[in-house]
Each structure stands twice: as structure tokens, then as C-alpha cells.
């Protein structure tokens, strides 16, 4: 009896450390064949409504780190930089926290564009917070401020090549090649600056001054914000495609596409 209990506990522990998907590989699915491997049905590749529903679930799977995927909402980026050499200015956005990715919408999906590549178009609304550092030529101290950026209706056009591969389990898997991400902002992002002063840094005057200067420059040169927003969106989409790649390596294609093999 005790032995039986111990055994159950061990199986449960195994399940806790493995079943949350951190180290899943397709071999685990073979042994657990009674469970459907995905919480969404397979779609015909041209059924856009079905793909849209699948994508929604897929974003939740990423955020739960299923199959070792990287969460994208929130997505934390170390830094994003933009420089304007002709104005001798540079901007560094640090400790970037991007939210909203999980509500990304699939606009369309095309096969055989540009020599047989695939293209996927997404639309997202993203909310970005971070610490902005602006450096101007001829001034040794950079300007620092907290910034909030709202990126609305940003479109990402992702193209990549793919090939099919028969796995050791005799199932078909998709290998996703290097992607190219093109981003188009349909609207100029809006922003809000907040001076960085706190308990340790009580220089409220300096903080307010920095935010004021930065605001003037960002308002007069909206291309800077556009650029930063594009860089953030591109970084996000590369992470999303890396997740697709990880997913497609581990889940047989029959589980998410209906196709004739
Ligand atoms: C990122 O921002 C979201 C929403 O503002 C917040 O809930 C989350 O804790 C933040 N994550 C980090 C690591 O700062
Ligand atoms: C997306 O990008 C690809 C490759 O650059 C291009 O061929 C395709 O026309 C673009 N699609 C849209 C809808 O802009
Ligand atoms: C206070 O602000 C300074 C300068 O911006 C920063 O280095 C420090 O980490 C901040 N401290 C807290 C508790 O946020």
C-alpha cells in the first residue's frame, strides 16, 4: 500500500515538473496519446477564421511557457536604441516592458509569395513602458525620463520559408526558415513622460526639466517615436516566430493543419 502511494506521488511529481511543458518533446505525446496534444482543432490552411481562433489560443500557450516557448505578454526587452545622426541625438529605451501582444489579430495568411515563401500579417495594439535616455551632442549629461508609449494598429508582415520533414516517429513536422519582419505603423504612437524622481533621487527640478526637454523633442520629431515603436514590434515578432519554430519542431503538423499527405 505504502509502496503504491509512493509510486503515485512520484508519478505526480514527474507530471508536475514535466507536464507543464517546459521540456516536452513529441516523444511525450506518443506515450500520452489519449490526450489531444493541443487545446485547439486542426485547421485547413485557408480557413482564416479557424486560424484566427487557433492563434488566440497559441498566444496563451506561449504565455504559459508551453513546450518551452518564451512568454510574449508581457515581453521584457533589455534595451532598444535609435539614433538620429544628422541631429546628433540618440535615444535608448531601457527596461522595456511590452504588454498587449496576446490580443494580436491575424489579418491574412498567404502561401507562395516571393519564391514560395509564406507570409503572415498581424495587427497589434501594444503598450510599452520603459526608461528613456536621450543624449544630445554638446551636453555631457543625458536626459532621463520614464516613458509610456501606446502603439495602436501596428501591422507586421512576416515572411519566411518553410519545409516539411518526416520525424523519427514517421510524422510530418514543419521547419521554419529565417524570417523577415516588416512593420508599418498606421498611426503615430502616443506617449506620456513621467519624471524619474523617487526616495533616493529627490532632484525633482532636474527630473521635470529632463522630461520637458524630451517631450519637446519627441513632439517635434515624431519619426523617433515611430522608429522606437517599430523596433519594439520587430523584436516582439521575432520572439513570436521563434516560438512558432519551437512549436513546429515538437508538434506534428497533422495536429494543427488539415492537409493531404
Ligand atoms: C510589465 O507591465 C505589466 C503591466 O503594466 C505588469 O503587470 C508587469 O508586472 C510588468 N512586468 C515586469 C517584469 O515589470
Ligand atoms: C509582405 O511582405 C512580402 C515580402 O516582403 C511581400 O511580398 C508581400 O506583398 C507583403 N504583403 C503585404 C500584404 O504587404
Ligand atoms: C531612483 O532614481 C534613480 C535615478 O533615476 C535610480 O537610479 C534608482 O534606481 C531609483 N530608485 C528607485 C527605488 O526606484
Amino acid at each position: 500500500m505504502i509502496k503504491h502511494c509512493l509510486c503515485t506521488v512520484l508519478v505526480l511529481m514527474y507530471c508536475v515538473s514535466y507536464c507543464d511543458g517546459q521540456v516536452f518533446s513529441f516523444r511525450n505525446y506518443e506515450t500520452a496519446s489519449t490526450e489531444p496534444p493541443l487545446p485547439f482543432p486542426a485547421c485547413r490552411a485557408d480557413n482564416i477564421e479557424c486560424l484566427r481562433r487557433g492563434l488566440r489560443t497559441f498566444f496563451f500557450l506561449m504565455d504559459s511557457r508551453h513546450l518551452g516557448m518564451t512568454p510574449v505578454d508581457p515581453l521584457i526587452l533589455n534595451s532598444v536604441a535609435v539614433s538620429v545622426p544628422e541631429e546628433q541625438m540618440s535615444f535608448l529605451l531601457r527596461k522595456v516592458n511590452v504588454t498587449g501582444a496576446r490580443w494580436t489579430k491575424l489579418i491574412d495568411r498567404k502561401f507562395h509569395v516571393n519564391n514560395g515563401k509564406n507570409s503572415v500579417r498581424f495587427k497589434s495594439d501594444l503598450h510599452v513602458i520603459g526608461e528613456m535616455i536621450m543624449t544630445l551632442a554638446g551636453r555631457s549629461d543625458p536626459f532621463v525620463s520614464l516613458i509610456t508609449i501606446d502603439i495602436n494598429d501596428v501591422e507586421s508582415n512576416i515572411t519566411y520559408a518553410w519545409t516539411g520533414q518526416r520525424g523519427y516517429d514517421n510524422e510530418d513536422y514543419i521547419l521554419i526558415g529565417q524570417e523577415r519582419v516588416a512593420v508599418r505603423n498606421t498611426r503615430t504612437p502616443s506617449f506620456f513622460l513621467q519624471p524619474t524622481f523617487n526616495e533616493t533621487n529627490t532632484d525633482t527640478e532636474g527630473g521635470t526639466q529632463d522630461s520637458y526637454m524630451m517631450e519637446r523633442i519627441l513632439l517635434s520629431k515624431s519619426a523617433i517615436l515611430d522608429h522606437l515603436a517599430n523596433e519594439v514590434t520587430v523584436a516582439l515578432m521575432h520572439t513570436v516566430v521563434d516560438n512558432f519554430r519551437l512549436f513546429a519542431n515538437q508538434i506534428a503538423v497533422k495536429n494543427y493543419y488539415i492537409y493531404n499527405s
Side-chain angles (χ1 to χ4, degrees):
M1 182 61 195
I2 285 174
K3 206 169 170 189
H4 173 77
C5 280
L6 188 64
C7 190
T8 309
V9 168
L10 281 178
V11 168
L12 279 176
M13 278 171 64
Y14 176 84
C15 204
V16 168
S17 56
Y18 280 83
C19 300
D20 68 357
Q22 294 281 359
V23 278
F24 249 33
S25 70
F26 58 78
R27 271 173 231 97
N28 296 78
Y29 286 125
E30 285 177 356
T31 51
S33 57
T34 47
E35 290 278 313
L38 293 176
F40 54 87
C43 297
R44 279 178 53 118
D46 60 356
N47 184 345
I48 194 89
E49 283 309 323
C50 181
L51 293 174
R52 279 186 182 136
R53 286 192 297 271
L55 183 77
R56 171 93 345 122
T57 313
F58 190 74
F59 271 90
F60 282 95
L61 291 181
M62 293 185 204
D63 288 338
S64 61
R65 300 175 190 273
H66 191 63
L67 304 165
M69 292 191 284
T70 305
V72 294
D73 195 352
L75 177 73
I76 308 297
L77 301 170
N78 285 334
S79 64
V80 177
V82 165
S83 65
V84 192
E86 61 273 25
E87 308 271 355
Q88 299 190 304
M89 287 180 193
S90 69
F91 293 83
L92 181 72
L93 185 58
R94 291 203 315 155
K95 302 177 188 165
V96 193
N97 178 340
V98 188
T99 48
R102 76 174 60 161
W103 305 111
T104 290
K105 295 187 263 307
L106 174 65
I107 308 176
D108 63 31
R109 174 109 184 64
K110 285 190 193 131
F111 298 91
H112 308 300
V113 298
N114 283 357
N115 314 321
K117 291 197 170 145
N118 290 298
S119 104
V120 184
R121 268 197 315 144
F122 289 137
K123 189 175 259 193
S124 326
D125 291 326
L126 303 172
H127 182 77
V128 181
I129 52 183
E131 188 182 88
M132 182 89 121
I133 300 163
M134 175 175 84
T135 311
L136 303 183
R139 188 182 192 271
S140 54
D141 282 353
F143 298 87
V144 182
S145 178
L146 297 178
I147 191 167
T148 301
I149 308 173
D150 276 306
I151 310 174
N152 289 309
D153 286 336
V154 61
E155 259 184 45
S156 315
N157 177 357
I158 307 173
T159 39
Y160 55 88
W162 75 7
T163 50
Q165 195 187 51
R166 187 57 56 91
Y168 293 120
D169 55 356
N170 222 21
E171 294 291 349
D172 293 324
Y173 290 84
I174 291 176
L175 294 183
I176 297 178
Q178 189 55 53
E179 74 278 11
R180 183 180 164 283
V181 180
V183 168
R184 193 166 65 95
N185 254 331
T186 50
R187 299 189 232 166
T188 298
S190 56
F191 71 97
F192 173 74
L193 294 168
Q194 223 181 328
T196 55
F197 43 78
N198 53 36
E199 301 78 14
T200 51
N201 171 18
T202 50
D203 176 16
T204 55
E205 191 95 357
T208 309
Q209 202 70 24
D210 279 15
S211 294
Y212 175 72
M213 272 300 286
M214 213 181 274
E215 178 168 87
R216 271 185 39 197
I217 291 182
L218 290 177
L219 285 174
S220 66
K221 305 194 187 313
S222 64
I224 295 166
L225 217 54
D226 261 332
H227 232 85
L228 277 169
N230 283 8
E231 292 292 320
V232 166
T233 311
V234 167
L236 167 70
M237 292 305 160
H238 281 303
T239 309
V240 169
V241 179
D242 280 343
N243 283 335
F244 281 150
R245 198 172 276 123
L246 209 55
F247 175 89
N249 262 329
Q250 298 174 76
I251 303 288
V253 62
K254 67 170 186 196
N255 293 305
Y256 56 97
Y257 276 140
I258 296 170
Y259 69 115
N260 305 314
S261 59

